Amino acid sequence: MLITGGCGFIAKNFIRFLRSERPGWRLVNVDALTYAGTVAGLPDESPTFHMVRGDIRDKSVVLDAISGCDALIHFAAETHVDRSIASSAEFVSTNVMGLQVLLDAAMHVGVPVFTHISTDEVYGSLAEHDEPWAESAPLAPRSPYAASKAAQDHLLLSYFHTHGMDVRLTRCTNNYGPFQFPEKLVPLTITNALRSKSIPLYGDGLQRRDWIHVEDHCSAILRVLEVGRAGEIYNIGTGVERRNRDVVKSILGLLGLDEHLITYIPDRPGHDRRYALDSSKARHELGWSPSRSFESGLEDTVKWYRQSENWWAPILAGKYQEYYDAQYRHR
């Protein structure tokens, strides 16, 4: 199996999940090791795991890595909305052009199954009392990041309709768990709180999200790979929503801290108010359902960050590239 972006948050957890659930599978990970990627937490090189440092936009790298591949799961992407607002070029280049290179390579060598990991952000923003999005909902992205992911989704499905490729698409809600780069809400809140630093919260903090533990997401992806259908979209979510402000307060409560660390800052441009997914298709067709409650998952996540300062401290010190390069050389 070829996995792209395996040094990032969700894909790394997926690799670790597969090593437990399908220990005999041979995995190849292609990752450019950009600012949010690290080999920490990945398996050592072995007959069942191989790491390739390379860019998915590089056709020669992709064609070499994809040779003999029975399945491809595409995670690699630029993902942070704030960064896409500041500059969208890298998002379009990596997310859209990178996918095009992968699809053409997969078609060229005849990869049997191509599974692509997308996001609920492609649907736009829900009003307070709107029904959760089903897979048939129209796409209405509101940030450059979300627009690049929506473009990916359209491009992917065009290869099913035009070329008959077995492509499968997942759209998931907000993930949290170990190894998440500390620019996202949950790890940023935890690491700032552990250092007694202020926790920035956009606007009034009442934006609502459906939160899923990354391991539950990983189990859904495996079900899509093994029993999903070609050309289909699967929404992955828990159906339980939390406001951003309440997530932050829950973390502070787990750390025994009060709310004085919260600092409300001006809302970011085009900030979506609410995301929620109808995941009944995944539950019925795939036989999947989340196993972790938000409360237990968040408690485990806080515990992991408390015990893993050696992983996130270099990132916050601005030494991540030097640190990650050294890790990779040691392998």
Side-chain angles (χ1 to χ4, degrees):
M1 177 181 293
L2 179 63
I3 295 172
T4 68
C7 295
F9 166 48
I10 299 174
K12 178 180 296 180
N13 278 280
F14 184 69
I15 289 171
R16 292 166 64 89
F17 178 79
L18 277 187
R19 298 281 286 184
S20 171
E21 297 295 318
R22 303 290 186 270
W25 289 13
R26 296 177 59 218
L27 310 178
V28 175
N29 170 37
V30 175
D31 197 292
L33 276 176
T34 57
Y35 79 95
T38 167
V39 297
L42 287 178
D44 292 327
E45 288 281 331
S46 72
T48 56
F49 182 78
H50 178 56
M51 166 75 189
V52 176
R53 186 171 189 175
D55 194 316
I56 59 170
R57 293 169 291 186
D58 187 326
K59 295 179 183 179
S60 62
V61 168
V62 171
L63 284 170
D64 183 59
I66 207 171
S67 177
C69 176
D70 296 306
L72 187 155
I73 302 187
H74 179 40
F75 293 89
E78 294 287 343
T79 64
H80 193 44
V81 174
D82 287 1
R83 290 177 182 266
S84 79
I85 293 170
S87 176
S88 64
E90 194 69 12
F91 288 75
V92 174
S93 177
T94 298
N95 296 356
V96 182
M97 299 308 297
L99 175 62
Q100 179 262 315
V101 171
L102 288 168
L103 285 167
D104 284 351
M107 187 169 62
H108 176 74
V109 303
V111 173
V113 179
F114 190 119
T115 301
H116 172 65
I117 311 304
S118 190
T119 171
D120 58 358
E121 295 190 42
V122 299
Y123 294 117
S125 183
L126 280 173
E128 183 76 14
H129 300 294
D130 285 348
E131 290 295 315
W133 291 300
E135 288 83 356
S136 59
L139 305 192
R142 288 159 48 93
S143 72
Y145 159 65
S148 73
K149 296 297 287 185
Q152 282 186 317
D153 294 2
H154 287 307
L155 181 62
L156 180 88
L157 293 172
S158 77
Y159 275 63
F160 169 73
H161 294 291
T162 304
H163 302 295
M165 282 183 65
D166 185 338
V167 299
R168 305 172 190 187
L169 172 62
T170 68
R171 293 176 180 146
C172 192
T173 57
N174 279 38
N175 281 229
Y176 67 97
F179 295 108
Q180 189 171 24
F181 193 79
E183 64 186 359
K184 301 297 179 75
L185 179 65
V186 169
L188 176 65
T189 298
I190 297 170
T191 55
N192 276 20
L194 288 173
R195 297 175 299 145
S196 299
K197 292 185 175 291
S198 66
I199 299 164
L201 197 56
Y202 279 127
D204 57 12
L206 297 181
Q207 303 86 358
R208 285 166 56 187
R209 304 289 186 261
D210 178 338
W211 292 88
I212 187 171
H213 192 277
V214 66
E215 289 182 4
D216 279 331
H217 186 191
C218 291
S219 69
I221 295 168
L222 181 58
R223 294 298 295 168
V224 170
L225 176 67
E226 293 187 327
V227 302
R229 293 184 291 134
E232 292 296 320
I233 304 166
Y234 296 95
N235 285 346
I236 310 298
T238 65
V240 180
E241 300 174 44
R242 294 287 189 282
R243 299 189 186 276
N244 287 353
R245 187 172 68 184
D246 295 333
V247 172
V248 171
K249 289 181 179 180
S250 294
I251 293 170
L252 291 173
L254 289 168
L255 291 170
L257 300 172
D258 61 36
E259 300 171 19
H260 78 277
L261 289 175
I262 299 175
T263 301
Y264 291 91
I265 61 175
D267 213 348
R268 72 182 176 206
H271 198 178
D272 295 333
R273 195 66 173 172
R274 176 177 169 238
Y275 303 144
L277 292 182
D278 176 356
S279 59
S280 58
K281 178 179 177 179
R283 294 170 190 254
H284 295 151
E285 287 195 17
L286 307 177
W288 170 87
S289 62
S291 62
R292 285 177 176 251
S293 69
F294 178 75
E295 291 76 15
S296 67
L298 190 64
E299 183 176 1
D300 287 346
T301 301
V302 169
K303 183 182 300 182
W304 186 87
Y305 279 92
R306 294 189 81 159
Q307 297 172 347
S308 304
E309 186 173 353
N310 63 328
W311 179 78
W312 53 261
I315 296 172
L316 297 175
K319 300 178 180 178
Y320 46 81
Q321 197 63 60
E322 174 186 342
Y323 178 60
Y324 296 166
D325 286 347
Q327 287 183 25
Y328 185 74
R329 283 197 301 272
H330 291 158
R331 300 206 168 210

